[in-house]
Amino acid sequence: MRSRSNSGVRLDYYQRIVHRLIMAHQEPVTGLFPASNINSHAWIRDNVYCILAVWGLSMAYKKIADQDEDRAKCYELEQSCVKLMRGLLMAMMNQKDKVERFKMTQNPLDSLHAKYSSKNGQPVVGDGEWGHLQIDAVSLYLLILAQMTASGLQIVFSLDEVSFIQNLVFYIESAYCIPDYGIWERGDKTNHGEPELNASSIGMAKAALEAMNELDLFGARGGPASVIHVLADEAHKCQAVLQSMLPRESNSKELDSGLLCVIGFPAFAADDPQLIRNTKDAILSRLQGKYGCKRFLRDGYRTPKEDPSRLYYERWELRMFENIECEWPLFYCYLILFHAFQSDKLAVKEYADRLEKIMVRADDGTLLIPESYAVPHDLVSNEYQHPGSQPREVVGRCPFLWGQSLFILGRLLQEGFLAVGELDPLNRRLGAQKKPDVVVQVVIIAEDNEIRDKLKEHDLHVQTIAEVVPIEVQPARVLSHLYTYLGRNRKLGLTGRKSRDVGILSTSKLYSLKDRIFAFTPQFVDLSRFYIASDNELMIDILKGEINFLKSAWDLLGRPLVTLVLRKIHLDQDKIPLAMIQTMRKLKSGYINGTRVMLGNLKDFLNTSAITDLSFLGSTEDGYPDRLNPDVQAYLDEHLLRSFSHRGMMKLHGAHLRPRQLRRRMSCKGAIKKTRSINVDSDNLGMEGPTPLSERRLSSVIPPPWLQPNKANNVSVFATTPEEGPAVVVDPLIRENIYPIDPHHSRSAIERRSEFTRQQEIQALPKILVQRHRTDTNFADTEVEELIAMLRETENLEEQGDILQYLVDTQGLDFNTGMLEEGRVVTVRDLLKGLYEKACQQKLWGLVRHTAGMLGKRVEDLAKAVTDLLVRQKQVTVGMPPNNEYTITAPLPEIELRQLIHDTYGDDESTAMLTQELMVYLAMFIRTEPQLFHEMLRLRVGLIIQVMAKELSRTLNCDGEAASEHLLNLSPFEMKNLLYHILSGKEFAVSSVARGNLSIVSCKSSRVSKKSQIGLGEQDGDDALIATIDDRQGQWLRRRRLDGALNRVPRDFYSRVWSVLEKCQGLAIEGRILPQSLTQEMTTGELKFALEVETALNQIPQPEYRQLVVEALMVLTLMTEHNMVPSLGGIIYVEHLVHKANQLFLEDQRKVQGDAMLCCAKSKEGKDQQAASGMLLCGGAAYICQHLYDSAPSGSYGTMTYMARAVALVLDCVPKHGEMECVIS
């Protein structure tokens, strides 16, 4: 017998084990592993993990291959890996139609199957009979395929297979927003078949996308056609969502040991070392036991209390599984690998020792990993009393091949047969190491010589589009179109990439196509997209944000390159806007907002930028890989001609004007304003200011006498539904619109309007309203002709808007106006488009928003923005509470979202557009400053709009209608700015800028805002004094209103409410009861529980009242935390506590003659005769005195003191007599 080195002998021992335990089970035909001897189903995930030991052993042999026999063993092991990976590939390729459908529908029933027959690779259960959608399994397959290919194995044989794998990349690229059944195939932990967003799936998908990027599937022998392309932005979205979720696994699983495979081997998906540590520590502290780790809290699988006759659990029974969940030795194998990759030998030894104690020894002495350990039936009660004290027994398969395979890998690493780099040839393990700072390259190109010369005056030297040739500059939409050709394959029926989105990471590269080089401008500057792109200041703001984003997110070879084109349309009155000049100077200085930048010409950056080859655009399927696909050629030829040209504007001015006296100007006046519905002063929201303020509001613009009788019926536009008919609607409309306040006119101009025009308005209005609500309109043609004539001769865009609004209401968008433009019929829609473009140029933002809404424009990124918020566990509501609010809990397609917002706001196009706009800004903020959203679960856009208008009304000292008008006229940049100040709670002031536009300025101290209030009219001394006092007084009220509208809660609020609920039978909030049974189903930190509490709190329409209810709940939590009483008794009505606190407050106010004596504390009962509107005199919401809302939480007259007293009085469980240690101080 020939001699062997010690290492050779030891490897032969492992080879025998691998052969006997793993390879002996491999099916000879398909190469797949059956689940067990009695179950022939082959799971993708388990199969990939099983083969890892074989792959590891093959690489160990390759290193010591000093004899032919070793080389033969090495080859045999490698081919076993290839056979398995190809077996899975064939099984998935048989379902290629599903991959194609899933790209479009993302429906769980269209997903690839999670398991196949190990005999023939065919499906074994129907689409709806199993939780097949498991993105982590397909991602794991792609990740290991990439690693094996990089290690030298040839798994993919043909270009058709390359196309299929390219489509699998599209299949997983939206993992960050697709709820799936996850690593345990369960979805929600009650196992009712509800998929949810799982961090383990998103992390695995992120790892697979990064591993696959620019990978040649034919290895060293391949060419451009066998390379896989991934858009870096998709991987980064997965990264961002993963980061926001960890250490949480999903809505129903607050923690999961399955995350070990995401933070360590094989995915290495988390980049932040601190986050990796936190996740690992959370798993060890809450899930680790003597026999391994629990999969997740309250996991009933295989426990003695589980009812094996049914798949699902009742919600109440989950509590029974607490402390007796099965423990899985598999996770010790993951922990050994985790620490081996971190070179922590001590930890590796510790877990290896633990593992050895719990492994099962076979008859021949081999150590086997069992699937899991359960508490025996007769020891369950002891385990409940002393968790972790009882011995457990093996349940499930033994050996468990998934665990056995990882155990063998760990042993090969421990004994030095493998280095960690060999198991990770793509170096994914280095992702968490600190990277050098990124330098962002910026190129500014002028559209023509004229703009270039204008820039030269400011000492900024740039090239024109013509001068950068041979490099071609194109908008991002060209790149997104080219990417749709990626992965197309006629034979397989695959149509390539469906998503049209290309992010900043993709446009920051150069692209080569044959002998041409393309640079692409970022997607956000594409003017055809949405009106916010025509606000230069906002564009600059977004640009700064994107440069900052590149600094942290860029991890490709080369430096990022941002290409911007300056065009005529950016000029302001033929000058380059000052904001642009200042930004360019900053860029030239080399730093902008802390990011290192270089400003230069394109040709200077050719050698330092990342360049991607667009080789997939060749006609490979027709046998001409060197020729461009004819469709691409045609598209590029056509596009190069018109990529940066602009459409002509519609001309509204006719040649022959009609005589002046025929104009009936006033018949349409205020048509747009009728549609407004932002309710600042509305009664049902309880958002009235203190008495002096409301009086002042009425006098700030004196209403004409005929309006007085209508004042009482202040009908909320929201309260009316189409069924209620026009009768109800007419009243407020007349009240609102006969006398519109135009922010661009001064007050005296309004008052100077002649009595004659006023009379004309009154006569004209009812006619308009009737027309608006009648369906079968026989509008006189002459009138339409007159309106169109008026339209031609008026210069005022606001007036044109009113006329067009009226025409749309009466005739519809597609009405033929009888005008011709270049021989084409002009419809009302065409005229509106022309007006929209003009309004964009002239920066009349109120009109822009309204016309955009009428044209049905939608923010291009709306669905993406909503998804960005949802996947970071923030739900979004649109509409105004309480009757008209709709919650969005899952990503929706663009069209459905637009329809939903439209339905919620009815005729009010402006607010519908504003809602879309704010969603985009919220998404921008959550990407760049996630800390603004801490402790907020739901973003209620309707309430945020109201608070924005309310804040403007407070700062500008004007009434609600004027404030909402100002709000709708803010430029997109100022709107984003105002939203930022409201989210961050920073004080702001308003300064007026030219053309009546307002500008939001931060205040370093709150003193500034008091001085810089501008009203519509000039304030006189007394008024200003009231405003100042009022502002100082309203601080706590304002803070509660902001926190309430933003749904902000104190830290750990929901888990503390859980502990209160555990000690009482239920909590009642605004008629909705949270039953104690919720604690049976959900754990303390579970997101689902938080959302239940949030839903109850959202029943309260008034934001400040909601905050007092939150404070009352906090006092209850203090009682449970200090164990004052063993139980809190029956159902606690939280509002009773708040109202009791209010009563106590008023009693104290009477004793000390406090401020509330002016309103609520006047009469003995604590309820004064109410104001005519049905509210309290002081305008306090929900019959709570305004002064209580305005009290600080602490102090002897603080709200918390009254809440604590109220709790002592209202709850029966608190002893009424005798001494008690006071722990709430």
Side-chain angles (χ1 to χ4, degrees):
M1 187 181 161
R2 64 199 180 84
S3 67
R4 291 282 275 157
S5 64
N6 284 343
S7 56
V9 173
R10 190 79 181 132
L11 267 187
D12 290 346
Y13 162 71
Y14 280 120
Q15 196 256 340
R16 285 195 298 279
I17 287 181
V18 165
H19 197 278
R20 197 166 64 246
L21 293 183
I22 296 176
M23 288 165 70
H25 296 290
Q26 194 169 16
E27 281 288 344
V29 178
T30 57
L32 303 180
F33 292 103
S36 67
N37 298 335
I38 47 174
N39 182 353
S40 65
H41 298 181
W43 271 262
I44 296 178
R45 184 186 306 100
D46 296 49
N47 270 254
V48 173
Y49 276 122
C50 283
I51 207 69
L52 287 181
V54 182
W55 176 51
L57 192 60
S58 75
M59 290 189 291
Y61 265 115
K62 194 184 271 182
K63 274 208 299 202
I64 67 147
D66 54 347
Q67 294 163 3
D68 290 346
E69 195 185 328
D70 294 336
R71 288 193 198 95
K73 279 180 184 161
C74 169
Y75 186 71
E76 180 198 344
L77 292 164
E78 284 181 348
Q79 290 313 299
S80 174
C81 297
V82 173
K83 175 107 177 150
L84 174 111
M85 295 301 277
R86 288 194 60 73
L88 287 173
L89 181 62
M90 293 309 110
M92 289 191 276
M93 282 184 79
N94 283 334
Q95 296 196 314
K96 57 187 182 297
D97 306 343
K98 283 178 154 305
V99 174
E100 184 56 35
R101 276 202 306 278
F102 187 81
K103 286 188 301 188
M104 302 291 289
T105 63
Q106 293 178 354
N107 181 339
L109 295 177
D110 290 334
S111 67
L112 283 172
H113 281 199
K115 57 180 186 174
Y116 301 94
S117 162
S118 60
K119 301 267 190 289
N120 55 20
Q122 293 302 310
V124 282
V125 287
D127 293 350
E129 294 164 27
W130 197 261
H132 282 301
L133 177 52
Q134 296 168 29
I135 290 174
D136 73 303
V138 178
S139 303
L140 176 73
Y141 175 79
L142 290 176
L143 169 65
I144 300 302
L145 173 69
Q147 293 277 28
M148 286 181 170
T149 305
S151 76
L153 295 187
Q154 174 86 45
I155 294 167
V156 176
F157 292 175
S158 70
L159 286 177
D160 294 322
E161 289 172 10
V162 173
S163 295
F164 179 73
I165 285 169
Q166 179 67 65
N167 278 274
L168 282 187
V169 167
F170 301 146
Y171 179 90
I172 65 165
E173 75 177 0
S174 301
Y176 66 94
C177 62
I178 302 177
D180 71 341
Y181 293 101
I183 188 169
W184 310 124
E185 308 191 291
R186 301 203 145 201
D188 184 284
K189 71 173 172 215
T190 51
N191 211 14
H192 280 258
E194 297 161 24
E196 51 182 12
L197 212 54
N198 290 295
S200 51
S201 295
I202 296 169
M204 201 53 87
K206 182 234 176 191
L209 290 170
E210 289 180 343
M212 275 284 161
N213 193 18
E214 304 295 322
L215 179 84
D216 192 329
L217 287 176
F218 290 174
R221 305 192 193 93
S226 52
V227 173
I228 295 291
H229 298 270
V230 178
L231 274 81
D233 299 273
E234 304 300 329
H236 191 271
K237 281 181 204 157
C238 290
Q239 151 79 19
V241 174
L242 178 68
Q243 205 142 359
S244 75
M245 286 180 81
L246 287 178
R248 182 189 299 287
E249 160 73 350
S250 67
N251 279 8
S252 72
K253 298 191 272 287
E254 59 175 289
L255 202 55
D256 192 313
S257 296
L259 290 170
L260 287 171
C261 65
V262 167
I263 59 172
F265 179 83
F268 303 105
D271 292 349
D272 177 359
Q274 188 58 47
L275 194 61
I276 295 173
R277 255 197 314 280
N278 292 351
T279 306
K280 178 184 68 93
D281 293 346
I283 290 170
L284 294 185
S285 64
R286 301 193 60 187
L287 298 173
Q288 182 178 324
K290 238 187 265 178
Y291 295 88
C293 296
K294 299 162 179 175
R295 298 191 304 179
F296 49 88
L297 298 171
R298 298 189 178 178
D299 168 21
Y301 183 58
R302 293 219 171 105
T303 57
K305 291 279 188 185
E306 184 184 43
D307 178 354
S309 64
R310 54 186 160 86
L311 269 176
Y312 63 91
Y313 304 126
E314 298 296 351
R315 299 191 184 279
W316 52 265
E317 70 179 331
L318 287 176
R319 185 72 183 258
M320 298 192 315
F321 305 136
E322 197 161 313
N323 295 331
I324 60 161
E325 303 97 334
C326 288
E327 292 177 359
W328 296 57
L330 162 73
F331 298 114
Y332 278 168
C333 302
Y334 273 118
L335 285 162
I336 288 172
L337 290 169
F338 177 88
H339 290 294
F341 273 90
Q342 302 224 329
S343 309
D344 183 348
K345 290 206 168 71
L346 280 175
V348 169
K349 183 165 177 5
E350 180 197 337
Y351 284 108
D353 293 346
R354 284 184 178 210
L355 195 56
E356 207 145 315
K357 286 180 197 153
I358 55 173
M359 288 174 78
V360 177
R361 203 168 278 281
D363 300 339
D364 59 357
T366 316
L367 289 173
L368 307 178
I369 297 258
E371 187 168 359
S372 58
Y373 278 93
V375 180
H377 261 285
D378 48 342
L379 301 177
V380 168
S381 53
N382 296 355
E383 183 72 16
Y384 275 145
Q385 282 161 6
H386 306 286
S389 62
Q390 303 303 306
R392 293 180 174 234
E393 59 190 14
V394 172
V395 289
R397 292 165 282 182
C398 184
F400 180 43
L401 293 189
W402 172 354
Q404 196 74 36
S405 172
L406 294 181
F407 169 67
I408 291 168
L409 272 189
R411 287 306 272 268
L412 290 173
L413 284 172
Q414 282 163 272
E415 296 190 22
F417 290 117
L418 278 179
V420 286
E422 289 168 294
L423 278 181
D424 177 29
L426 291 169
N427 293 330
R428 295 205 43 74
R429 65 192 182 288
L430 307 177
Q433 294 185 358
K434 197 165 172 3
K435 302 176 189 71
D437 275 353
V438 171
V439 178
V440 181
Q441 305 169 144
V442 183
V443 174
I444 294 168
I445 297 172
E447 185 178 32
D448 53 25
N449 295 351
E450 187 187 336
I451 291 179
R452 183 193 62 190
D453 298 341
K454 282 195 166 78
L455 280 171
K456 203 175 273 179
E457 292 167 19
H458 296 279
D459 196 29
L460 294 161
H461 301 278
V462 301
Q463 293 181 308
T464 61
I465 293 182
E467 289 169 346
V468 297
V469 172
I471 300 171
E472 301 169 41
V473 180
Q474 294 288 345
R477 59 178 180 274
V478 176
L479 181 61
S480 98
H481 182 81
L482 294 180
Y483 263 116
T484 58
Y485 289 90
L486 181 57
R488 288 192 187 186
N489 186 301
R490 283 197 297 274
K491 272 195 277 185
L492 291 172
L494 298 170
T495 57
R497 186 171 189 259
K498 283 290 169 279
S499 163
R500 301 308 297 260
D501 192 43
V502 286
I504 186 81
L505 292 172
S506 304
T507 54
S508 298
K509 298 194 279 190
L510 291 173
Y511 290 85
S512 61
L513 178 58
K514 305 293 169 257
D515 46 1
R516 301 158 76 172
I517 294 182
F518 288 95
F520 293 98
T521 56
Q523 193 163 281
F524 71 86
V525 297
D526 198 340
L527 273 173
S528 66
R529 291 168 65 80
F530 190 55
Y531 62 78
I532 56 178
S534 45
D535 181 4
N536 296 330
E537 282 187 296
L538 183 69
M539 288 293 102
I540 289 169
D541 191 52
I542 295 176
L543 170 69
K544 288 177 183 167
E546 296 288 351
I547 288 178
N548 207 14
F549 169 77
L550 283 172
K551 171 183 162 185
S552 58
W554 185 262
D555 56 358
L556 305 167
L557 290 171
R559 289 172 172 175
L561 171 72
V562 181
T563 310
L564 301 163
V565 177
L566 194 60
R567 311 207 187 99
K568 284 233 174 56
I569 200 153
H570 292 136
L571 300 182
D572 190 5
Q573 296 169 346
D574 220 31
K575 290 196 190 73
I576 293 169
L578 183 63
M580 286 196 173
I581 297 292
Q582 287 170 338
T583 308
M584 288 183 207
R585 289 205 171 120
K586 262 194 186 158
L587 289 169
K588 196 174 168 186
S589 75
Y591 276 95
I592 187 159
N593 291 16
T595 305
R596 177 96 173 80
V597 286
M598 280 181 80
L599 191 63
N601 289 335
L602 263 179
K603 61 175 188 306
D604 307 339
F605 295 143
L606 271 179
N607 296 332
T608 50
S609 301
I611 298 190
T612 296
D613 188 11
L614 295 174
S615 50
F616 58 85
L617 295 172
S619 307
T620 314
E621 285 194 275
D622 300 329
Y624 298 108
D626 298 336
R627 275 195 217 161
L628 264 190
N629 185 323
D631 300 347
V632 177
Q633 189 66 57
Y635 175 78
L636 283 175
D637 292 346
E638 177 205 3
H639 214 87
L640 287 179
L641 299 174
R642 58 180 188 82
S643 61
F644 285 118
S645 62
H646 280 288
R647 297 167 307 215
M649 299 282 184
M650 290 293 299
K651 301 281 184 291
L652 280 174
H653 297 288
H656 37 271
L657 293 177
R658 313 194 47 172
R660 268 194 180 292
Q661 63 271 33
L662 267 177
R663 291 197 218 166
R664 292 200 17 241
R665 261 296 145 82
M666 300 326 294
S667 61
C668 304
K669 184 84 178 162
I672 288 183
K673 232 180 208 180
K674 286 186 198 79
T675 62
R676 300 273 200 261
S677 66
I678 299 177
N679 236 339
V680 180
D681 301 322
S682 70
D683 300 340
N684 61 350
L685 275 148
M687 286 176 108
E688 282 295 332
T691 327
L693 192 63
S694 4
E695 284 166 10
R696 196 171 66 252
R697 279 186 186 159
L698 294 181
S699 59
S700 65
V701 175
I702 301 138
W706 60 81
L707 272 187
Q708 300 301 345
N710 284 340
K711 260 293 173 226
N713 337 8
N714 183 354
V715 186
S716 148
V717 181
F718 268 129
T720 59
T721 55
E723 288 78 9
E724 287 171 50
V728 193
V729 185
V730 168
D731 210 27
L733 283 181
I734 291 180
R735 187 185 67 69
E736 277 179 13
N737 299 301
I738 292 183
Y739 199 67
I741 303 167
D742 189 333
H744 301 300
H745 293 297
S746 68
R747 184 167 140 194
S748 52
I750 295 178
E751 285 169 351
R752 278 204 307 268
R753 289 225 313 260
S754 69
E755 195 57 38
F756 166 67
T757 36
R758 290 184 181 181
Q759 290 305 322
Q760 249 192 338
E761 281 180 85
I762 297 169
Q763 289 156 15
L765 247 153
K767 195 194 291 181
I768 289 179
L769 290 169
V770 173
Q771 288 303 342
R772 187 164 179 175
H773 293 289
R774 263 177 45 198
T775 43
D776 52 344
T777 325
N778 281 332
F779 202 91
D781 289 340
T782 50
E783 190 148 338
V784 175
E785 278 171 29
E786 267 181 48
L787 286 176
I788 288 170
M790 270 165 53
L791 190 62
R792 287 180 173 186
E793 60 194 52
T794 175
E795 292 286 342
N796 183 338
L797 292 189
E798 301 274 353
E799 229 164 81
Q800 292 180 11
D802 281 342
I803 295 170
L804 287 173
Q805 168 72 47
Y806 178 54
L807 282 173
V808 170
D809 286 342
T810 54
Q811 311 293 324
L813 273 173
D814 296 316
F815 174 70
N816 177 356
T817 58
M819 295 157 82
L820 287 179
E821 171 100 9
E822 296 169 7
R824 212 167 42 80
V825 169
V826 175
T827 60
V828 174
R829 187 190 304 273
D830 297 327
L831 293 177
L832 256 181
K833 278 185 186 158
L835 176 64
Y836 166 75
E837 286 172 6
K838 274 193 179 163
C840 275
Q841 271 186 343
Q842 294 187 23
K843 314 280 187 260
L844 297 170
W845 297 111
L847 192 57
V848 168
R849 286 186 178 98
H850 191 79
T851 47
M854 285 166 72
L855 287 167
K857 282 188 177 294
R858 59 174 189 267
V859 185
E860 296 249 342
D861 295 338
L862 182 63
K864 202 173 91 189
V866 172
T867 303
D868 275 339
L869 294 165
L870 290 172
V871 294
R872 289 171 175 81
Q873 298 89 61
K874 308 290 174 207
Q875 294 189 345
V876 184
T877 72
V878 293
M880 303 286 181
N883 334 356
N884 226 341
E885 196 170 20
Y886 185 87
T887 308
I888 304 168
T889 54
L892 290 173
E894 200 97 29
I895 290 121
E896 280 180 44
L897 263 176
R898 164 92 181 113
Q899 193 54 46
L900 171 72
I901 292 171
H902 188 80
D903 295 347
T904 319
Y905 291 106
D907 277 343
D908 185 2
E909 301 289 3
S910 312
T911 314
M913 281 326 281
L914 182 56
T915 298
Q916 298 188 40
E917 201 181 313
L918 290 179
M919 284 174 163
V920 171
Y921 302 153
L922 285 166
M924 284 178 190
F925 288 139
I926 205 165
R927 283 196 294 265
T928 53
E929 299 188 54
Q931 69 278 8
L932 288 177
F933 297 85
H934 280 333
E935 312 303 336
M936 287 158 64
L937 275 183
R938 270 204 185 124
L939 303 168
R940 300 168 76 184
V941 182
L943 265 188
I944 290 175
I945 291 177
Q946 267 178 351
V947 168
M948 287 167 93
K950 191 79 190 173
E951 285 288 278
L952 277 184
S953 141
R954 184 183 66 85
T955 318
L956 291 174
N957 204 5
C958 61
D959 73 345
E961 191 179 329
S964 54
E965 203 55 42
H966 280 308
L967 179 68
L968 289 166
N969 276 300
L970 283 180
S971 75
F973 174 70
E974 297 303 348
M975 189 71 78
K976 181 174 177 233
N977 213 345
L978 176 60
L979 177 64
Y980 178 78
H981 280 88
I982 278 175
L983 282 177
S984 59
K986 289 183 180 163
E987 287 284 343
F988 67 91
V990 176
S991 63
S992 190
V993 192
R995 280 195 257 166
N997 288 346
L998 301 176
S999 167
I1000 310 292
V1001 200
S1002 275
C1003 297
K1004 290 290 175 276
S1005 76
S1006 56
R1007 303 295 309 164
V1008 191
S1009 65
K1010 293 163 194 168
K1011 297 284 177 283
S1012 58
Q1013 291 178 318
I1014 54 169
L1016 283 179
E1018 285 301 306
Q1019 291 182 358
D1020 48 37
D1022 294 349
D1023 252 9
L1025 185 69
I1026 293 173
T1028 311
I1029 295 168
D1030 173 42
D1031 200 44
R1032 191 186 66 241
Q1033 275 186 332
Q1035 270 182 346
W1036 279 103
L1037 167 64
R1038 174 172 171 254
R1039 180 153 174 192
R1040 285 193 172 97
R1041 195 172 272 159
L1042 282 180
D1043 283 347
L1046 295 170
N1047 282 19
R1048 237 190 214 119
V1049 293
R1051 180 166 296 175
D1052 300 329
F1053 172 72
Y1054 301 106
S1055 53
R1056 292 162 94 171
V1057 171
W1058 190 94
S1059 60
V1060 172
L1061 204 48
E1062 209 179 15
K1063 289 202 172 181
C1064 66
Q1065 283 171 19
L1067 290 168
I1069 299 170
E1070 194 77 9
R1072 192 186 182 104
I1073 292 182
L1074 295 170
Q1076 187 183 17
S1077 59
L1078 287 178
T1079 60
Q1080 304 285 323
E1081 177 197 348
M1082 302 169 193
T1083 54
T1084 45
E1086 200 170 304
L1087 199 60
K1088 261 169 65 181
F1089 176 74
L1091 289 169
E1092 289 283 344
V1093 180
E1094 192 58 61
T1095 306
L1097 287 171
N1098 277 5
Q1099 303 295 310
I1100 304 173
Q1102 307 94 334
E1104 57 268 57
Y1105 183 43
R1106 176 190 191 276
Q1107 278 318 89
L1108 279 189
V1109 170
V1110 168
E1111 287 175 35
L1113 284 167
M1114 285 306 285
V1115 172
L1116 286 173
T1117 65
L1118 290 172
M1119 290 198 48
T1120 54
E1121 280 164 24
H1122 294 284
N1123 285 326
M1124 288 177 64
V1125 283
S1127 157
L1128 296 175
I1131 291 179
I1132 299 174
Y1133 291 87
V1134 186
E1135 287 114 300
H1136 289 189
L1137 299 176
V1138 179
H1139 283 283
K1140 186 70 185 168
N1142 185 46
Q1143 239 174 329
L1144 296 168
F1145 169 75
L1146 294 179
E1147 282 167 21
D1148 279 5
Q1149 286 286 305
R1150 284 190 204 102
K1151 284 179 200 158
V1152 299
Q1153 294 291 306
D1155 290 348
M1157 287 300 286
L1158 297 172
C1159 50
C1160 305
K1162 267 188 199 166
S1163 74
K1164 228 32 220 146
E1165 300 83 61
K1167 275 191 191 171
D1168 196 24
Q1169 74 282 11
Q1170 289 159 2
S1173 62
M1175 296 304 298
L1176 294 183
L1177 269 185
C1178 60
Y1183 301 110
I1184 303 285
C1185 179
Q1186 188 91 318
H1187 293 285
L1188 180 63
Y1189 285 126
D1190 206 14
S1191 306
S1194 56
S1196 52
Y1197 294 105
T1199 50
M1200 291 304 250
T1201 311
Y1202 289 112
M1203 294 288 179
R1205 284 169 60 189
V1207 167
L1209 289 169
V1210 174
L1211 293 191
D1212 302 330
C1213 58
V1214 182
K1216 297 284 183 271
H1217 304 290
E1219 291 291 312
M1220 244 196 123
E1221 189 187 342
C1222 181
V1223 276
I1224 302 178
S1225 51

